[in-house]
Amino acid sequence: MALYSEKVMDHFRNPRNVGVIEDADGVGEVGNAKCGDIMKIYLKIDNDIISDVKFETFGCGSAIASSSMATELIKGKPVSEAMTLTNKAVAEALDGLPAHKLHCSVLAEEAIKAALKDYYDKNGIEYDASLFPDCESCGHCCGE
């Protein structure tokens, strides 16, 4: 059995939505150089719909594939639906990740939520803070 699914390899070799949105409505960055994976997600939101999403990821193939798949899963969706995206959904959409690479799907979920939080903050939209990762203490990507 191969270590990586065909979908992981496809999203690694042909990542979707790579790039920067200069006038992004929300930007989220998670990870740190110590763990080796850094993800940055850019969102363009029109009438509460994610009209465009781009990412920049520095990391392994699983991190790139997770970023690519996560952007595909939220593009064109309402903000409320993007808020419900889980790392499990990202991993399942990729037909699985090796256990030691599941943190990559967690980073993708957290990067999207960080971008959504940035969008809410920039626009003065109230939100439940418990729905967002606490990057100072989460331990997944940047916790000490």
Side-chain angles (χ1 to χ4, degrees):
M1 182 175 127
L3 183 60
Y4 296 104
S5 72
E6 286 183 33
K7 280 190 183 176
V8 170
M9 295 306 296
D10 180 42
H11 278 268
F12 167 63
R13 290 184 181 125
N14 307 292
R16 285 67 152 179
N17 306 308
V18 174
V20 175
I21 299 174
E22 293 297 336
D23 60 344
D25 295 309
V27 179
E29 183 172 349
V30 297
N32 104 17
K34 289 181 189 174
C35 75
D37 296 319
I38 300 171
M39 291 183 186
K40 193 167 188 177
I41 300 280
Y42 302 85
L43 301 175
K44 190 70 178 167
I45 300 170
D46 296 304
N47 297 318
D48 207 44
I49 302 292
I50 298 173
S51 59
D52 198 11
V53 57
K54 301 280 186 212
F55 78 91
E56 296 179 298
T57 293
F58 176 80
C60 67
S62 294
I64 292 166
S66 292
S67 299
S68 176
M69 180 57 80
T71 62
E72 286 288 280
L73 292 171
I74 66 166
K75 193 172 190 176
K77 301 287 195 298
V79 168
S80 59
E81 191 172 326
M83 272 299 301
T84 66
L85 182 72
T86 65
N87 66 298
K88 183 178 179 187
V90 173
E92 286 176 357
L94 288 168
D95 292 336
L97 287 169
H100 68 284
K101 293 294 183 177
L102 282 174
H103 71 279
C104 296
S105 62
V106 172
L107 283 177
E109 173 189 345
E110 290 178 348
I112 288 168
K113 287 188 176 168
L116 289 168
K117 182 181 182 302
D118 182 53
Y119 166 70
Y120 289 151
D121 288 342
K122 284 178 179 175
N123 290 283
I125 299 169
E126 290 188 31
Y127 57 85
D128 180 351
S130 70
L131 299 175
F132 296 94
D134 175 6
C135 259
E136 297 303 314
S137 64
C138 68
H140 292 129
C141 57
C142 50
E144 296 297 325

